[in-house]
Amino acid sequence: MSHIQDITKPEHLVYRKTPLLTDNIMHYCPGCTHGVVHKLVGEVIEELNIQDQAIGVSPVGCSVLAYNYLDIDWAQAAHGRAPAVATGISRLHPEKYVFTYQGDGDLASIGCAEIMHACSRGENIVVIFINNAIYGMTGGQMAPTTLLGQVTATTPYGRDPKLNGFPMKITELLAQLDGTCYVTRQSADTPGAVRKAKNAIKKAFQNTRLRKGTSFVEIVGTCNSGWKMTPVDANTWMRENMFPKYPLGDIKDI
Amino acid sequence: MAKFKGAIVVDNEKCKGCGLCVVACPTKVIELNPNVNGKGYHYAWMKNPDDCIGCASCGLVCPDSVISVYKMSVQS
Amino acid sequence: MKGNEVIAEAAIRCGCDGYFGYPITPQSEVMETLMLRKPWEETGMVVLQAESEVAAINMVYGAAACGKKVMTSSSSPGISLKQEGITYLAGAELPCLVVDVVRGGPGLGTIQPAQSDYFQATKGGGHGDYHLIVLAPASVQEMNDFVDLGFELAFKYRNPAMILSDGVIGQMMEKVELSPYKPRWTDEEIEKISGSWALRGKKNRKRNIVTSLELDSYGQEKFNLKLQAKYREIEAKEVRYEEIACEDADYVLVAYGSSARICQKTVKLAREQGIKLGLFRPITLYPFPTEAITKLAGRVKGMLSVEMSAGQMVYDVRLAVNGKVKVEHYGRLGGVIHAPEEVLEGFKSAFGL
């Protein structure tokens, strides 16, 4: 039998926190998908060796403080305006890797115009879109992507299409625009899904290098606090309820 | 035939005890510790260290990047 | 040249890095001129038509966050839409230039010239305790000069600057002496001027973060006090104004922008009638020339604030005069431009002459 101390030697290290993440403890709730996706963006930036060329734009919402966790230059944008802010940065710094990191309320509701037109112009940026079907930061209200029947703070009897309209598949809409080169929907709930999501994010950043246009990566995630479930149950609920409405996979790749 | 032995090191104080690593572990090595850390979370730990194969599934799904994974080959 | 065209030309010549706009009357010539001039081929300046005023000002925010000299222009309803971005720019202490070619309101209002956005321009406009540095051109020449001056002040104080013009100056054609070309800042120059905060990619330094967020209220108070200290410095150092025929004046008209041009004629008409009338023209509306007006109040019998509005600057004049002499307002509204004779009649009736 080998002792644990024999195994945990530096030469045997196969997985560790990327140095692109700062030592700040994330403010996210236990089990929040944001933490996984922050890590993946950090790992991709590390692997592509572009820390000195990456500029992030954080949204309004739970991930507003993303700049505390990824050790790169950041701008914090007004609610929904991250794609416009990223446009300004990217147009003035065309050689940099500019990305936005936005939630569903920020991107699909208040920022619908900005994301549509940034994608339509084909801004040479990456968009990371976290869809957890709820407003997390403000306390669990209905988002454009909230499922029919889903209970939130503003749909206490469940989302009713007559009262609240229908869930929005913004990613499919954006895939219709000529400016997008890569549109994909991923999740981060299993080791396999995390690997796939990372590959998608990596491809998106590589597209920036190739100046191909807008790369859009949706990650279907959980908000266990907003959904009022344990993190493990939230993943199960997501697979059973979110995936049928928001199926995973590449929607566009040119 | 080469076999792999693994081990994980958890940053106990930064772990929030979400339990996602527990379900991700294919060999049921990890559980949440009955003890709590300074923030009151039951942190993840290797309940059954002998079964760890160093696959890093736990590290991949960890939202707080508190798990380091080690892996060494041993001769059977 | 037209005032609006001069704004575009002055932007190119002063080494502006980027313009982000959205069409709205009466200032659309700014972006039209830029698109026609194709400065990206000449100086490398970026020009982009955004999908909305909201997007345009946020593009300015992003580009300004890179330490670049960037600007936008619009007119009243569009400036209302930009207020969100403007308060974020002020809150993140980003320099930029916003040109407002004012038209009559409220609402969609009219496309005719007005000065009814003085409050919006000088008192912040968006939420929070902040100010823009506000320059009020009264000629096409000043439209040219204030582009460079606006950028200079914006970078000196890391604060958005505004040129508060109106449909008269924007559409008016006048002779103008254009500024000589200045090259755009190099990366090295930007690093020297704004390296401590501008986004260029983290290399051999701590990461730069451009944000207006501070959740800790004590931290936010500290930041607000820092902003206020900056405004006090601006108020002490950057006041600009012009006095015309004030030396021997019994009464003074206070007017800015196109209204000041009209009032120059009124002063002439009054003096022909033996009335010793002068004109005080604030050039910076923020910082407002409070001290100069206070001094003037000790020498005259009354002041008339003449604005193409229901009376907005008159409040600042009254604060400066502080009850020492009578201060009244005269002005036409909703896009109507007052004639010099009308102003003279208004003046006479206000002071019982």
Side-chain angles (χ1 to χ4, degrees):
Chain A
M1 275 321 293
S2 31
H3 290 286
I4 290 174
Q5 289 84 342
D6 296 330
I7 308 171
T8 58
K9 284 179 179 163
E11 62 266 32
H12 299 144
L13 184 68
V14 290
Y15 191 87
R16 51 76 170 122
K17 186 181 108 171
T18 167
L20 260 289
L21 286 174
T22 65
D23 286 333
N24 296 326
I25 296 176
M26 293 190 195
H27 69 283
Y28 303 114
C29 305
C32 179
T33 310
H34 277 308
V36 182
V37 182
H38 283 16
K39 168 176 71 180
L40 296 184
V41 173
E43 287 176 356
V44 165
I45 291 172
E46 179 192 0
E47 285 168 25
L48 296 177
N49 195 22
I50 54 169
Q51 183 183 22
D52 58 348
Q53 300 160 69
I55 299 175
V57 183
S58 78
V60 169
C62 285
S63 46
V64 61
L65 292 171
Y67 55 72
N68 282 341
Y69 309 127
L70 274 172
D71 192 19
I72 54 169
D73 278 3
W74 282 94
Q76 195 288 313
H79 202 12
R81 318 298 177 220
V85 173
T87 297
I89 297 171
S90 171
R91 292 279 175 147
L92 273 294
H93 274 321
E95 76 290 0
K96 306 281 187 211
Y97 294 80
V98 183
F99 71 95
T100 71
Y101 188 105
Q102 305 174 258
D104 42 56
D106 189 84
L107 182 142
S109 190
I110 194 167
C112 207
E114 283 76 16
I115 191 62
M116 281 280 168
H117 286 275
C119 287
S120 185
R121 287 189 302 267
E123 295 297 336
N124 194 40
I125 59 173
V126 173
V127 178
I128 310 288
F129 168 44
I130 309 295
N131 175 12
N132 56 16
I134 206 161
Y135 282 74
M137 173 70 94
T138 44
Q141 295 83 7
M142 181 185 73
T145 49
T146 294
L147 300 175
L148 291 181
Q150 190 180 341
V151 172
T152 71
T154 50
T155 55
Y157 307 105
R159 184 175 190 166
D160 172 1
K162 282 191 191 131
L163 187 63
N164 311 112
F166 294 90
M168 191 175 191
K169 294 171 88 164
I170 185 99
T171 304
E172 277 80 354
L173 285 171
L174 296 172
Q176 302 299 311
L177 301 173
D178 292 338
T180 51
C181 61
Y182 178 49
V183 180
T184 186
R185 183 183 287 120
Q186 303 290 333
S187 74
D189 55 322
T190 64
V194 171
R195 284 195 186 92
K196 278 169 130 176
K198 181 174 167 182
N199 286 339
I201 293 169
K202 195 170 200 173
K203 182 175 202 161
F205 277 87
Q206 284 166 332
N207 284 343
T208 298
R209 175 174 287 166
L210 300 170
R211 305 202 61 77
K212 286 176 80 172
T214 312
S215 295
F216 189 93
V217 181
E218 172 181 344
I219 311 281
V220 181
T222 63
C223 175
N224 52 77
S225 293
W227 296 358
K228 304 191 193 313
M229 295 172 197
T230 66
V232 173
D233 288 348
N235 270 342
T236 308
W237 190 89
M238 173 176 75
R239 287 190 278 267
E240 288 171 359
N241 297 280
M242 295 277 282
F243 290 180
K245 178 70 188 175
Y246 303 112
L248 307 185
D250 289 350
I251 298 165
K252 181 180 186 180
D253 185 8
I254 52 175
Chain B
M1 182 187 133
K3 261 182 70 181
F4 290 106
K5 281 288 297 169
I8 64 167
V9 174
V10 178
D11 188 338
N12 293 348
E13 282 309 311
K14 287 187 176 172
C15 176
K16 294 175 185 161
C18 68
L20 292 180
C21 54
V22 176
V23 292
C25 178
T27 53
K28 301 196 185 326
V29 170
I30 310 171
E31 283 195 15
L32 296 184
N33 201 298
N35 297 319
V36 293
N37 63 17
K39 290 246 166 77
Y41 292 122
H42 293 281
Y43 51 90
W45 73 304
M46 284 200 291
K47 175 90 183 298
N48 310 303
D50 292 346
D51 294 335
C52 181
I53 54 172
C55 70
S57 290
C58 52
L60 282 166
V61 300
C62 176
D64 293 285
S65 298
V66 299
I67 303 176
S68 301
V69 183
Y70 297 84
K71 184 178 182 179
M72 62 184 277
S73 62
V74 288
Q75 298 304 316
S76 58
Chain C
M1 284 176 82
K2 242 186 189 185
N4 288 337
E5 293 166 357
V6 165
I7 291 281
E9 192 62 41
I12 299 167
R13 286 167 177 256
C14 83
C16 179
D17 294 304
Y19 171 96
F20 302 91
Y22 184 79
I24 182 171
T25 309
Q27 65 76 54
S28 298
E29 297 87 352
V30 179
M31 186 162 51
E32 288 170 6
T33 306
L34 284 169
M35 289 297 188
L36 203 62
R37 283 278 272 108
K38 297 197 277 186
W40 51 91
E41 289 180 358
E42 192 184 339
T43 68
M45 176 184 174
V46 169
V47 186
L48 187 61
Q49 177 169 342
E51 65 270 28
S52 68
E53 284 93 346
V54 175
I57 193 70
N58 281 287
M59 290 172 185
V60 166
Y61 177 96
C66 303
K68 303 277 186 174
K69 260 190 197 179
V70 286
M71 64 181 290
T72 185
S73 66
S74 191
S75 177
S76 308
I79 295 290
S80 291
L81 282 168
K82 286 187 198 288
Q83 290 303 333
E84 175 196 56
I86 293 173
T87 171
Y88 273 70
L89 281 150
E93 294 199 271
L94 292 178
C96 73
L97 181 65
V98 179
V99 180
D100 184 359
V101 183
V102 179
R103 60 189 247 187
L108 199 50
T110 168
I111 58 169
Q112 300 303 325
Q115 295 183 314
S116 42
D117 298 338
Y118 176 91
F119 283 153
Q120 189 187 47
T122 61
K123 309 301 178 196
H127 60 279
D129 276 323
Y130 75 93
H131 285 285
L132 308 179
I133 299 165
V134 184
L135 302 167
S139 63
V140 172
Q141 185 62 51
E142 284 187 339
M143 289 286 253
N144 173 80
D145 301 347
F146 289 178
V147 170
D148 197 31
L149 177 63
F151 275 123
E152 187 194 314
L153 294 172
F155 273 87
K156 186 172 173 188
Y157 295 101
R158 277 188 65 186
N159 200 73
M162 174 178 270
I163 294 179
L164 189 73
S165 183
D166 61 56
V168 176
I169 311 282
Q171 295 296 326
M172 186 166 62
M173 289 182 87
E174 265 186 333
K175 263 196 172 172
V176 58
E177 194 180 321
L178 295 169
S179 306
Y181 278 90
K182 278 206 277 190
R184 289 171 57 223
W185 285 333
T186 60
D187 283 353
E188 290 69 32
E189 284 170 311
I190 292 174
E191 187 60 32
K192 217 172 137 189
I193 298 163
S194 317
S196 64
W197 55 268
L199 310 180
R200 282 191 56 199
K202 177 197 141 97
K203 195 175 188 181
N204 306 324
R205 60 161 167 77
K206 277 175 69 181
R207 67 187 184 282
N208 283 343
I209 300 166
V210 171
T211 180
S212 58
L213 178 69
E214 173 53 81
L215 289 169
D216 172 50
S217 39
Y218 294 100
Q220 187 60 32
E221 184 185 49
K222 201 173 151 195
F223 172 70
N224 264 273
L225 290 171
K226 181 184 158 210
L227 276 188
Q228 292 305 314
K230 176 166 87 177
Y231 298 140
R232 295 302 88 76
E233 189 188 344
I234 292 171
E235 286 162 9
K237 292 184 182 166
E238 304 300 344
V239 170
R240 288 164 171 80
Y241 59 89
E242 184 185 14
E243 290 186 15
I244 297 164
C246 286
E247 307 80 33
D248 63 338
D250 289 329
Y251 295 92
V252 164
L253 304 178
V254 185
Y256 69 91
S258 53
S259 192
R261 289 175 73 105
I262 296 161
C263 287
Q264 260 184 280
K265 177 77 177 167
T266 306
V267 167
K268 215 176 146 202
L269 292 173
R271 288 194 172 251
E272 281 167 12
Q273 296 179 17
I275 304 167
K276 285 184 181 171
L277 190 62
L279 170 63
F280 184 94
R281 177 170 81 95
I283 293 171
T284 50
L285 298 181
Y286 183 85
F288 192 69
T290 305
E291 209 176 307
I293 291 179
T294 307
K295 277 187 194 154
L296 206 52
R299 310 198 322 241
V300 300
K301 296 174 187 167
M303 293 190 193
L304 185 74
S305 184
V306 185
E307 312 163 53
M308 285 149 33
S309 75
Q312 300 190 3
M313 183 177 68
V314 65
Y315 288 89
D316 284 334
V317 179
R318 282 193 182 128
L319 278 173
V321 170
N322 201 15
K324 215 175 271 178
V325 293
K326 190 174 171 185
V327 177
E328 292 294 337
H329 163 259
Y330 177 82
R332 299 294 299 269
L333 311 174
V336 180
I337 305 165
H338 33 247
E341 296 79 10
E342 284 181 297
V343 176
L344 186 58
E345 285 313 306
F347 160 70
K348 284 181 180 173
S349 84
F351 292 96
L353 298 172

